[in-house]
Amino acid sequence: MKVQRVDMFVCPSATPADTSGLQSLVDAGKVTRDNLVALVGKTDGTGFHDDWGRVWADAVLREWTAKLLGVAKDEVAKHVIFVLSGGCPGVITPHIAAVTREWVEVAQAPAEKRLVVGRAGSEAIAPEEVGRMGMIRKVAAATHEAMRDAQITDPKDVHLVMVKVPGLTVSSTVDAESRGHTVVSHDLTFGPEGAGSYANDAAALGVAMALGEVPESKLSDGVVRRDWDLYSEVAMTSSGGEKRHGEVVVFGNSAASASELVIGHAVTKDFIDAQGVRDALRAAGIRFDGGLPVEKDLDRLVHVFAKSVIPGSDVVRGQHITLLDDHNAYQIGKALGGMLIASVTGRTANYVSGGERNSHQGPPGGNIVAAVVRAG
Amino acid sequence: MKVQRVDMFVCPSATPADTSGLQSLVDAGKVTRDNLVALVGKTDGTGFHDDWGRVWADAVLREWTAKLLGVAKDEVAKHVIFVLSGGCPGVITPHIAAVTREWVEVAQAPAEKRLVVGRAGSEAIAPEEVGRMGMIRKVAAATHEAMRDAQITDPKDVHLVMVKVPGLTVSSTVDAESRGHTVVSHDLTFGPEGAGSYANDAAALGVAMALGEVPESKLSDGVVRRDWDLYSEVAMTSSGGEKRHGEVVVFGNSAASASELVIGHAVTKDFIDAQGVRDALRAAGIRFDGGLPVEKDLDRLVHVFAKSVIPGSDVVRGQHITLLDDHNAYQIGKALGGMLIASVTGRTANYVSGGERNSHQGPPGGNIVAAVVRAG
Amino acid sequence: MKVQRVDMFVCPSATPADTSGLQSLVDAGKVTRDNLVALVGKTDGTGFHDDWGRVWADAVLREWTAKLLGVAKDEVAKHVIFVLSGGCPGVITPHIAAVTREWVEVAQAPAEKRLVVGRAGSEAIAPEEVGRMGMIRKVAAATHEAMRDAQITDPKDVHLVMVKVPGLTVSSTVDAESRGHTVVSHDLTFGPEGAGSYANDAAALGVAMALGEVPESKLSDGVVRRDWDLYSEVAMTSSGGEKRHGEVVVFGNSAASASELVIGHAVTKDFIDAQGVRDALRAAGIRFDGGLPVEKDLDRLVHVFAKSVIPGSDVVRGQHITLLDDHNAYQIGKALGGMLIASVTGRTANYVSGGERNSHQGPPGGNIVAAVVRAG
Amino acid sequence: MKVQRVDMFVCPSATPADTSGLQSLVDAGKVTRDNLVALVGKTDGTGFHDDWGRVWADAVLREWTAKLLGVAKDEVAKHVIFVLSGGCPGVITPHIAAVTREWVEVAQAPAEKRLVVGRAGSEAIAPEEVGRMGMIRKVAAATHEAMRDAQITDPKDVHLVMVKVPGLTVSSTVDAESRGHTVVSHDLTFGPEGAGSYANDAAALGVAMALGEVPESKLSDGVVRRDWDLYSEVAMTSSGGEKRHGEVVVFGNSAASASELVIGHAVTKDFIDAQGVRDALRAAGIRFDGGLPVEKDLDRLVHVFAKSVIPGSDVVRGQHITLLDDHNAYQIGKALGGMLIASVTGRTANYVSGGERNSHQGPPGGNIVAAVVRAG
């Protein structure tokens, strides 16, 4: 029987242009032109709009990957998905995680479900669909396709869905309006009424619809960034640039896998909920004696993916906080997510994105945490 | 037998000018003109140099206290010590803690040691002594005196020493130099070679000397902000303004106490060490089943005092972090300390000061945490 | 004949709580409980959302004014209009300008028109009217009333209209929606699609309508923050809080005035247009020999009021700028306006507000400048 | 007679990696592998410590130049001097200026002195010399050598000296101390007592010594960053990294030049002194009718180089400013310099560096401005 074998390698980056860790993996035969599926990372810098660290990293990684694959730079996206999240405030170590997938023949499936990965591109998403039902449905369809590619049939086996969708730009807005359509917002930022936030959140609802977390009947243009009770527990989404299609990567566990890795997830119930982080570790198979992960067992932890969306409310467990009033809330909010993870795992090379206010990625006030663990 | 009864009341502040919580305590007879010893708090704002939230809070609280005491505003400092730390980034709830002390006659001492508090002013500290042995010795002497005032004889019973000392100013520098002396730095900031940092750290070493944490023989002008292996585990210090004397408040446990409160402390071993926070809770008497505090028992937690000095190194547990390169490191560093505490205690109204780089307050890379708990 | 005599006194503020300059004016008999019309100023601090300098100044000034007037603090607003703009980045000196008005009997009008001031409150503005025609019309009506109070009939004699209007809040939004209405935005900020920006801009269009700068026929809900060719050259507007009415202060010149002061205004054509600043000085009567104001004549300059709205475009005179990408654009944009004024006048105690992106206050890319000058 | 012909081409940069403008100059034959002397520019980004825009630009430009020259990347520095200053806040257009020099045979010298350029490297500068007389003397010697290379003999003909010197690092500090030396500061930043500031300022005093602006007899270790009355009017200096030698580029005018360009300079008397900017334009040959440059004549303006060091005092022309208290003073200070230049020239593609507090580059409170103009 032919099954997937997925691996994940986390390389710290000394600078945004550091490809030495990836190159070592290539030199060691662990990453090849045939098995590389995705590069997912956090890049050194502020994470603000004019953070050139992320852009530089993207340029260098695309060039490196093009060389590895022997294709032109603008062909890279067809073969390898890039998810680079800018900004490593506090205790988030800049890093790139390489995800590889091979198909191997095995005599029989392993006793427990193991990590699989699947990818899909969506249909083209028009600017008038951004942040609305059009985007929700197309992301849902692509999520289904990525599940098939991952050979997952039960949505419960999906533990992380990373999505990139088109945002709005000045020119795509003009395009939509010239064709008689409206757009979801003229604010192109990731602010509370920004098109970027609407795009991210419609993508999250698309995942939720595909996985049955939210029934299609409850979805409409009007619920996006309004009805926070609708959300996905596994979607991490981003949007931007002049993209025209969505990209979806599904991570889950499957019996049809020869991977040594397992993935699990949980959500935090609020912004300071370390228990939610521990739940994610436990879900992925880390052993606990009493309340804390067994320290030695943490060596099996390969990677953590977490959102750190800041709450829409200024009250946490009944106490007033002033984060929403802070000019640097976006950066501080992300940093705090980094601390929440690191203080539980004792490791700082975690993928933590966020900083925006409110989201359909995770429950109101809470956040998504997924952990990948080497099977014990 | 006449013993102290010390109490502590934490009042959240809706704005920097909010004295409603304190006034309620007065109205309820818990805080009186005779028992108020100290107001210690965190004020809403950025914590940066031009954060007027702290200044406004100070003005309002002094006025409120003057009315309570029936004294002139500039007499307040003789009766009540103010420790206001600016900046509540992230999950630090702005608040004021009122510390009260009464002398009560008891038939016999309680079975366990309970909270006591003592205060003392130092001799005048000349500008040429700031950040040097002169300051260290005078703070050490005042710490001894405050211990006597607290009726503590064993340094092991001291769990928190809050100190305020004079910093340098343009005019005090001129004064010192006109008398033929040098000053420790012409940089008046809290930067790595700033006079403010030298003052804070000499004060911390003064406490360490008084408590025997560092033998006097190891102390000299040259070790301040150089030899990080010398430090106090209980000193939280600040400096500033045109003060001429140091002020010391000692918190500890004593058999000669009728307080319902107990204090304990611990240190974190590094910047992400949640275990250090748990150790402080345990030291103060919070019960643990397995690794985590018993949730219900946390109701007995009255207050947490913590430093969040950022490490001098860019490596945490072998992994590179970029915090030191961040323009907002001061604010983010403080915010991260707030998350470390809140994620363990589930409460956000914690006194967390810090953000500066390196200190003799706590071990290299680690920080001090003290917890006050209602006896179980 | 009974005419106005208006005066204006600019007091630098050492701190947000500094009323010493105002008190000196009272002690000298220049400001009295009967003649004080408005306090307009810039307060020390960052100008960001959590800048407590402005709030503190407001509290202290209201208390001071209440004492002067012999009224309760919450009655002050009925007698004296407060316009406090937070944030003095760069070369903007924190200050408070007191505006006084008396009615004096004169034998005959002066040869040239002189400064007059008029005030009016608008009808109550419902939350569903904020940022829309309802607000525009009510501000226009109040502007007409303030002109009457100022005894100005020709709109050309109006050189500065300061307006404060209600913004939206969480509770006023709920109120409007519970009554079946929509609101202009759920984003409560001053971002490009924020309710605060819509409120400010509707107020500006209200002034433009009143003065005939924009015909009512061109105005509709849809043009607010869309059609930038519609604007006022004299409106400086702000919004906020739980206000329910608009407040309007009109400054202009009139023959029915015994003031020693004259006001003039101009607009800058773009963000770096020092000539626009010089034009404002010239309009107010400062003498020029060649291109520059006569240095000695600048002594007659009493005050400058300027907006520093940042352009919606990233191109200035054909060259690309990156201001729009900057996390601190709001603060830097305001600072740059301060430099533009100060570099022309050689004075830093100017009222410069702004930092937001795009506005109907002034032409696209340009800004409003008004100057008050002692008649030569 | 063999003389220099120097040209300067200012290319706006769309991104830090944009070499299209330079490449166009190569394609047009204006920049060649033989004539390229220096690349001097401002890079897009915040200018703070973790601004990767500057680093990315440096990497891309070095690679581009290596290809042009046909040398290895680490050989580029031997042939072309790079001066890249990070941070384009406000109205500073990111750009790269290419400086070229050819030697041409002319029948006779032109009637007026024209632009020449000269370069030199200094002797190796040990870490214990950084910020002290050792560095001052070595930079002075290199300045003399660069003047010879430029064929300038009269210091009055020098109008701009750009210098790069080694700063201190952790490892070079250890090196110096291991050999029994002290270093100027353990603060490695550009703060008021930072080694970076000492290095920059010693370099400036080295230029001042070479040009006779400050007699050697007045110079000593103790005057650096103490005696602000000692300064150069033409030195723009920077320091950093692991450099071991200083690099000096001298710009001046000479009769032995066939350039079409002329350079002139002036200083501002304080932070808001637009007249100083106009003086620099006039010094370089821009025509003035009355107080302002003749608008049409500004077409001949090729480039402006300016410092925007923020004053050490909080008083400008007798009025209090709060810039020194601002967390973003570094960025805002630079932005304000950009506005001062742009508001005079009407052009935003100016080289404006600065933001640090106090310097021997220019008089106390004032700054250096140099202008390069096409001869009329």
Side-chain angles (χ1 to χ4, degrees):
Chain A
M1 117 185 233
K2 200 103 179 182
V3 299
Q4 291 189 36
R5 190 168 61 201
V6 175
D7 218 335
M8 190 177 290
F9 305 94
V10 179
C11 307
S13 312
T15 71
D18 181 9
T19 56
S20 62
L22 294 173
Q23 190 56 48
S24 297
L25 291 168
V26 170
D27 296 345
K30 291 183 177 167
V31 168
T32 70
R33 54 177 293 174
D34 295 320
N35 73 10
L36 185 60
V37 171
L39 294 176
V40 181
K42 291 295 305 176
T43 56
D44 193 339
T46 61
F48 288 125
H49 188 63
D50 63 348
D51 176 1
W52 291 101
R54 194 190 59 77
V55 186
W56 187 19
D58 188 87
V60 167
L61 286 172
R62 263 175 223 286
E63 192 170 337
W64 179 86
T65 308
K67 266 190 205 158
L68 173 68
L69 269 55
V71 303
K73 245 193 290 186
D74 54 9
E75 296 285 300
V76 165
K78 293 184 188 167
H79 303 277
V80 177
I81 287 190
F82 281 61
V83 180
L84 298 181
S85 165
C88 287
V91 290
I92 302 173
T93 296
H95 67 270
I96 301 292
V99 181
T100 60
R101 177 169 76 163
E102 291 178 335
W103 295 92
V104 294
E105 192 66 42
V106 292
Q108 65 173 84
E112 62 165 6
K113 290 178 178 175
R114 295 288 176 81
L115 184 64
V116 290
V117 64
R119 305 170 29 167
S122 80
E123 280 182 59
I125 296 173
E128 58 269 27
E129 293 178 314
V130 168
R132 294 170 171 166
M133 282 306 296
M135 179 175 269
I136 291 174
R137 289 208 181 88
K138 286 175 177 173
V139 168
T143 302
H144 279 141
E145 193 184 327
M147 284 173 67
R148 280 190 295 274
D149 185 45
Q151 297 185 307
I152 295 177
T153 48
D154 185 348
K156 289 201 173 57
D157 285 329
V158 175
H159 295 280
L160 176 62
V161 184
M162 294 189 123
V163 185
K164 290 171 68 181
V165 286
L168 286 178
T169 62
V170 171
S171 66
S172 68
T173 299
V174 167
D175 166 43
E177 294 183 339
S178 71
R179 290 181 288 101
H181 296 288
T182 62
V183 292
V184 70
S185 174
H186 280 92
D187 175 357
L188 302 182
T189 73
F190 289 86
E193 291 293 312
S197 301
Y198 277 93
N200 288 354
D201 276 323
L205 290 174
V207 172
M209 177 178 139
L211 301 182
E213 297 175 286
V214 175
E216 188 174 354
S217 61
K218 286 204 173 174
L219 292 168
S220 67
D221 289 359
V223 303
V224 186
R225 293 193 64 74
R226 290 286 176 278
D227 184 349
W228 300 113
D229 291 330
L230 311 178
Y231 57 88
S232 171
E233 294 201 350
V234 294
M236 294 190 188
T237 64
S238 59
S239 58
E242 295 285 351
K243 295 172 65 69
R244 278 284 160 262
H245 301 76
E247 292 175 340
V248 177
V249 194
V250 162
F251 293 91
N253 295 322
S254 165
S257 166
S259 303
E260 293 181 9
L261 307 181
V262 181
I263 188 167
H265 82 277
V267 293
T268 58
K269 71 177 185 199
D270 61 29
F271 202 57
I272 61 173
D273 180 25
Q275 189 55 45
V277 181
R278 289 189 288 262
D279 288 345
L281 298 184
R282 191 181 277 116
I286 294 288
R287 280 184 287 263
F288 277 66
D289 283 349
L292 295 174
V294 175
E295 188 59 39
K296 188 170 145 293
D297 210 40
L298 283 170
D299 289 346
R300 298 192 293 113
L301 181 62
V302 173
H303 208 27
V304 174
F305 299 86
K307 286 296 294 186
S308 189
V309 172
I310 65 179
S313 156
D314 61 353
V315 174
V316 171
R317 300 199 191 174
Q319 293 186 301
H320 174 64
I321 60 167
T322 60
L323 181 57
L324 297 186
D325 301 322
D326 199 313
H327 179 57
N328 296 325
Y330 178 79
Q331 194 185 19
I332 290 172
K334 196 183 290 174
L336 292 180
M339 177 56 100
L340 193 69
I341 305 298
S343 68
V344 169
T345 67
R347 283 133 185 86
T348 58
N350 307 303
Y351 178 93
V352 181
S353 76
E356 62 273 29
R357 186 186 304 191
N358 269 336
S359 170
H360 298 293
Q361 304 167 63
N367 277 294
I368 302 170
V369 185
V372 175
V373 168
R374 202 156 295 279
Chain B
M1 125 186 227
K2 200 103 177 179
V3 299
Q4 291 189 35
R5 188 167 62 200
V6 175
D7 217 334
M8 190 176 290
F9 305 93
V10 179
C11 308
S13 313
T15 71
D18 182 10
T19 56
S20 62
L22 294 173
Q23 190 57 47
S24 298
L25 292 168
V26 170
D27 296 344
K30 291 181 177 170
V31 169
T32 69
R33 53 178 294 173
D34 295 319
N35 72 10
L36 186 60
V37 171
L39 295 177
V40 181
K42 292 293 306 177
T43 57
D44 193 339
T46 62
F48 288 125
H49 188 63
D50 63 349
D51 176 1
W52 291 102
R54 194 189 59 75
V55 186
W56 187 20
D58 188 86
V60 167
L61 286 172
R62 262 176 225 284
E63 193 171 334
W64 179 86
T65 308
K67 266 189 205 161
L68 174 67
L69 270 56
V71 303
K73 248 194 286 187
D74 54 8
E75 294 285 300
V76 166
K78 294 186 187 166
H79 303 277
V80 178
I81 288 191
F82 281 61
V83 180
L84 297 182
S85 165
C88 287
V91 290
I92 302 173
T93 296
H95 68 271
I96 302 292
V99 182
T100 60
R101 177 169 76 165
E102 291 177 335
W103 295 91
V104 294
E105 191 65 41
V106 291
Q108 65 174 81
E112 61 166 8
K113 289 178 179 174
R114 295 288 175 84
L115 184 64
V116 290
V117 63
R119 305 169 32 169
S122 81
E123 279 182 58
I125 297 173
E128 59 269 26
E129 294 179 313
V130 168
R132 293 171 170 166
M133 282 307 294
M135 180 176 269
I136 291 173
R137 287 205 184 91
K138 287 176 177 172
V139 168
T143 303
H144 278 141
E145 193 185 327
M147 284 173 66
R148 277 190 297 275
D149 184 45
Q151 297 185 307
I152 295 177
T153 48
D154 186 349
K156 287 200 177 60
D157 284 328
V158 175
H159 295 280
L160 175 62
V161 184
M162 294 189 123
V163 185
K164 289 172 69 180
V165 286
L168 287 177
T169 62
V170 170
S171 66
S172 68
T173 300
V174 167
D175 166 45
E177 294 182 339
S178 71
R179 289 181 289 103
H181 297 287
T182 62
V183 292
V184 71
S185 175
H186 281 91
D187 176 356
L188 302 182
T189 73
F190 289 86
E193 291 293 313
S197 301
Y198 276 94
N200 288 353
D201 276 323
L205 291 173
V207 173
M209 178 178 139
L211 300 182
E213 297 174 286
V214 175
E216 187 174 355
S217 61
K218 286 205 172 172
L219 291 168
S220 67
D221 289 358
V223 303
V224 186
R225 294 193 64 75
R226 290 288 177 276
D227 185 349
W228 300 113
D229 291 332
L230 311 178
Y231 57 88
S232 170
E233 294 200 350
V234 294
M236 296 191 187
T237 63
S238 59
S239 57
E242 294 285 353
K243 293 171 67 69
R244 278 284 160 262
H245 300 76
E247 292 175 339
V248 177
V249 194
V250 162
F251 293 90
N253 296 322
S254 164
S257 165
S259 303
E260 293 181 9
L261 307 181
V262 181
I263 189 168
H265 83 278
V267 292
T268 58
K269 71 179 186 199
D270 60 28
F271 202 57
I272 61 173
D273 180 26
Q275 188 55 45
V277 181
R278 290 189 288 262
D279 288 346
L281 297 184
R282 191 181 276 115
I286 295 287
R287 281 184 287 263
F288 277 66
D289 283 349
L292 295 173
V294 175
E295 187 61 37
K296 190 172 142 293
D297 210 40
L298 283 170
D299 289 345
R300 297 193 294 114
L301 181 62
V302 173
H303 208 26
V304 173
F305 298 85
K307 286 297 292 187
S308 188
V309 172
I310 65 180
S313 156
D314 61 353
V315 174
V316 171
R317 302 201 190 172
Q319 294 185 301
H320 173 65
I321 60 167
T322 60
L323 181 57
L324 298 185
D325 301 323
D326 199 313
H327 178 56
N328 296 325
Y330 178 79
Q331 195 186 19
I332 291 173
K334 194 183 292 175
L336 293 179
M339 178 57 102
L340 194 68
I341 305 299
S343 69
V344 168
T345 67
R347 280 132 189 85
T348 58
N350 307 302
Y351 178 93
V352 180
S353 76
E356 62 272 30
R357 186 186 303 191
N358 270 336
S359 170
H360 297 292
Q361 302 168 62
N367 277 294
I368 302 171
V369 185
V372 175
V373 168
R374 201 158 295 278
Chain C
M1 120 184 233
K2 201 104 177 180
V3 299
Q4 292 189 34
R5 188 168 61 201
V6 176
D7 217 334
M8 190 177 287
F9 306 94
V10 179
C11 308
S13 313
T15 71
D18 181 11
T19 56
S20 62
L22 294 173
Q23 190 56 48
S24 297
L25 292 168
V26 170
D27 296 345
K30 290 181 178 170
V31 169
T32 70
R33 54 178 293 173
D34 295 319
N35 73 11
L36 185 60
V37 171
L39 294 176
V40 180
K42 292 294 305 176
T43 57
D44 193 338
T46 62
F48 288 126
H49 188 64
D50 63 350
D51 176 1
W52 291 102
R54 194 190 58 77
V55 186
W56 187 21
D58 188 86
V60 167
L61 286 172
R62 261 175 226 284
E63 193 171 335
W64 179 87
T65 308
K67 265 189 208 160
L68 174 67
L69 269 56
V71 302
K73 247 196 284 186
D74 54 9
E75 295 285 299
V76 165
K78 294 184 188 168
H79 304 278
V80 177
I81 288 190
F82 281 60
V83 181
L84 298 182
S85 165
C88 287
V91 290
I92 301 173
T93 295
H95 67 271
I96 302 290
V99 182
T100 60
R101 177 170 76 164
E102 292 176 336
W103 295 91
V104 295
E105 191 65 42
V106 292
Q108 65 174 83
E112 60 165 8
K113 290 178 179 175
R114 295 288 175 81
L115 183 64
V116 289
V117 64
R119 304 170 32 169
S122 80
E123 279 182 58
I125 297 173
E128 59 269 26
E129 294 179 313
V130 168
R132 294 172 170 164
M133 282 306 296
M135 180 176 268
I136 292 174
R137 287 205 184 91
K138 286 175 178 173
V139 169
T143 304
H144 278 140
E145 193 185 328
M147 284 173 66
R148 277 190 296 276
D149 184 45
Q151 298 186 307
I152 295 178
T153 48
D154 185 349
K156 288 201 175 60
D157 284 329
V158 175
H159 295 280
L160 175 62
V161 183
M162 295 189 124
V163 185
K164 289 172 69 180
V165 286
L168 285 178
T169 62
V170 170
S171 65
S172 67
T173 299
V174 167
D175 166 43
E177 295 183 340
S178 72
R179 290 181 290 102
H181 296 288
T182 63
V183 292
V184 71
S185 174
H186 281 91
D187 176 356
L188 302 182
T189 73
F190 290 85
E193 291 292 315
S197 301
Y198 276 94
N200 288 353
D201 275 324
L205 291 173
V207 173
M209 178 178 137
L211 301 182
E213 297 174 286
V214 174
E216 187 175 354
S217 60
K218 287 204 171 173
L219 291 168
S220 67
D221 289 358
V223 303
V224 185
R225 294 194 62 76
R226 290 289 177 275
D227 184 349
W228 301 113
D229 291 332
L230 310 178
Y231 57 87
S232 170
E233 294 201 349
V234 296
M236 295 191 187
T237 65
S238 59
S239 58
E242 295 285 352
K243 291 171 69 68
R244 280 284 161 261
H245 300 76
E247 292 176 338
V248 176
V249 194
V250 162
F251 293 91
N253 296 321
S254 164
S257 166
S259 303
E260 292 181 11
L261 308 180
V262 180
I263 189 168
H265 83 277
V267 293
T268 58
K269 72 179 185 198
D270 60 29
F271 202 56
I272 61 173
D273 180 26
Q275 189 55 45
V277 181
R278 290 188 288 261
D279 289 346
L281 298 184
R282 191 181 276 115
I286 296 287
R287 280 183 288 263
F288 278 67
D289 282 349
L292 294 174
V294 175
E295 188 60 39
K296 190 170 143 294
D297 210 39
L298 283 170
D299 290 345
R300 297 194 294 114
L301 181 61
V302 173
H303 208 28
V304 173
F305 299 86
K307 286 297 292 185
S308 189
V309 172
I310 65 179
S313 157
D314 61 352
V315 174
V316 171
R317 299 199 193 174
Q319 293 186 301
H320 174 65
I321 61 168
T322 60
L323 180 56
L324 296 186
D325 301 322
D326 199 312
H327 178 57
N328 296 325
Y330 178 79
Q331 194 185 19
I332 291 173
K334 195 183 292 177
L336 293 179
M339 178 57 102
L340 193 68
I341 306 298
S343 69
V344 169
T345 67
R347 280 131 189 88
T348 58
N350 306 302
Y351 178 93
V352 181
S353 76
E356 62 271 30
R357 186 185 302 190
N358 270 336
S359 170
H360 298 293
Q361 302 168 61
N367 277 294
I368 302 170
V369 185
V372 174
V373 168
R374 203 159 292 281
Chain D
M1 113 186 238
K2 200 100 175 183
V3 300
Q4 293 189 34
R5 189 169 61 201
V6 175
D7 217 336
M8 189 177 290
F9 306 93
V10 179
C11 307
S13 312
T15 72
D18 181 10
T19 56
S20 62
L22 294 173
Q23 191 56 47
S24 297
L25 291 168
V26 171
D27 296 345
K30 289 181 178 169
V31 168
T32 70
R33 55 177 293 173
D34 296 320
N35 74 10
L36 185 60
V37 172
L39 294 176
V40 180
K42 291 295 305 176
T43 57
D44 193 339
T46 62
F48 288 125
H49 188 64
D50 63 349
D51 177 0
W52 290 102
R54 195 191 58 78
V55 186
W56 187 20
D58 188 87
V60 166
L61 286 172
R62 262 176 225 286
E63 192 171 336
W64 179 86
T65 307
K67 265 189 205 160
L68 173 69
L69 269 55
V71 303
K73 246 194 290 187
D74 55 7
E75 295 286 300
V76 165
K78 294 184 187 166
H79 304 278
V80 177
I81 288 191
F82 281 60
V83 180
L84 297 182
S85 165
C88 286
V91 290
I92 302 173
T93 296
H95 68 270
I96 302 291
V99 182
T100 62
R101 177 169 76 164
E102 291 177 334
W103 295 92
V104 295
E105 191 65 43
V106 292
Q108 66 173 81
E112 60 165 8
K113 290 177 178 175
R114 295 287 176 82
L115 184 64
V116 290
V117 63
R119 304 170 31 168
S122 81
E123 281 182 59
I125 297 172
E128 59 268 27
E129 294 178 315
V130 168
R132 294 170 169 166
M133 280 308 294
M135 180 176 270
I136 292 173
R137 288 205 182 90
K138 286 175 178 174
V139 169
T143 303
H144 279 141
E145 193 184 327
M147 284 173 67
R148 279 190 296 276
D149 183 46
Q151 298 186 308
I152 295 176
T153 48
D154 185 349
K156 288 202 174 57
D157 285 329
V158 175
H159 295 281
L160 175 62
V161 184
M162 293 187 125
V163 185
K164 288 171 69 180
V165 287
L168 286 177
T169 62
V170 171
S171 66
S172 68
T173 299
V174 167
D175 166 43
E177 294 182 340
S178 71
R179 289 181 289 101
H181 295 287
T182 63
V183 292
V184 71
S185 175
H186 281 92
D187 175 357
L188 303 181
T189 72
F190 289 86
E193 289 294 313
S197 301
Y198 276 94
N200 288 355
D201 275 323
L205 290 173
V207 172
M209 177 180 140
L211 301 182
E213 296 175 287
V214 174
E216 187 173 355
S217 61
K218 288 204 171 173
L219 290 168
S220 68
D221 289 0
V223 303
V224 185
R225 293 193 65 74
R226 289 288 175 278
D227 184 349
W228 300 112
D229 291 331
L230 311 178
Y231 58 87
S232 170
E233 294 200 350
V234 295
M236 295 190 188
T237 64
S238 59
S239 58
E242 295 285 352
K243 294 173 66 70
R244 278 286 160 260
H245 300 78
E247 292 176 339
V248 177
V249 195
V250 162
F251 293 91
N253 295 321
S254 164
S257 165
S259 304
E260 293 181 10
L261 307 180
V262 181
I263 189 169
H265 84 275
V267 292
T268 58
K269 72 177 184 200
D270 61 29
F271 202 56
I272 61 172
D273 180 25
Q275 188 56 42
V277 181
R278 290 189 288 263
D279 289 346
L281 299 184
R282 191 180 276 117
I286 295 287
R287 280 184 288 264
F288 278 66
D289 282 351
L292 295 173
V294 175
E295 188 59 40
K296 189 170 143 294
D297 211 38
L298 282 171
D299 290 345
R300 297 193 292 113
L301 181 62
V302 173
H303 208 28
V304 174
F305 299 85
K307 287 296 293 186
S308 188
V309 172
I310 65 179
S313 157
D314 62 353
V315 174
V316 171
R317 300 201 192 172
Q319 293 185 301
H320 174 63
I321 60 168
T322 61
L323 181 57
L324 297 186
D325 301 322
D326 199 314
H327 179 57
N328 296 324
Y330 178 78
Q331 193 185 20
I332 291 173
K334 196 184 290 175
L336 293 180
M339 178 57 101
L340 194 69
I341 306 298
S343 68
V344 169
T345 67
R347 282 133 187 85
T348 58
N350 306 303
Y351 178 93
V352 181
S353 75
E356 63 272 30
R357 187 186 303 190
N358 269 336
S359 169
H360 298 293
Q361 304 168 64
N367 277 293
I368 303 170
V369 186
V372 175
V373 168
R374 201 157 296 278

